[in-house]
Amino acid sequence: SYLAMYSVAFHVAAFFPASSTGALIGSQAVGVVFGAYPFATFFATPLPPLVIRACGVGKTVACGLLVVSVSTALFGVSPALLTRCGPIALTAALTCCRAVGGVGAALSEAACLTAISTSG
């Protein structure tokens, strides 16, 4: 499951530097953009138990998946919407999308593992 998750999460990373957006923001910014996902996932690790206790496992999974889906969609449309704003604004938007997706991934992954480990 981890292999599938990380292959989906980083599939674009191999092709992004060669794209027009990758060329616009630069190779170091591409590293920052794709590093934001695991960075945010790591720092959001304390959050899932709190959300699971407050909302339950099912709602936490749904919320995490919704957050990942929306942030991924925004990541996809950001270059079309923000190319004219310049590379700094585009880099910031892409980095925020990936970071928010990392938080959503932390929520959904922890909730799914909780559901699996507590099911009878």
Side-chain angles (χ1 to χ4, degrees):
S1 71
Y2 287 114
L3 176 62
M5 181 179 72
Y6 287 110
S7 66
V8 169
F10 297 106
H11 178 73
V12 167
F15 303 101
F16 197 74
S19 71
S20 60
T21 302
L24 175 67
I25 66 173
S27 61
Q28 284 141 352
V30 169
V32 170
V33 167
F34 285 96
Y37 185 93
F39 183 80
T41 301
F42 172 76
F43 279 103
T45 301
L47 186 62
L50 302 173
V51 177
I52 290 169
R53 278 189 212 111
C55 302
V57 174
K59 288 181 182 176
T60 304
V61 171
C63 177
L65 292 175
L66 180 67
V67 168
V68 170
S69 298
V70 170
S71 69
T72 302
L74 288 174
F75 181 85
V77 299
S78 290
L81 299 175
L82 298 174
T83 301
R84 289 185 224 120
C85 295
I88 294 172
L90 182 56
T91 301
L94 294 173
T95 303
C96 287
C97 289
R98 294 291 292 170
V100 169
V103 172
L107 288 172
S108 60
E109 180 180 354
C112 284
L113 291 174
T114 300
I116 291 168
S117 66
T118 57
S119 65

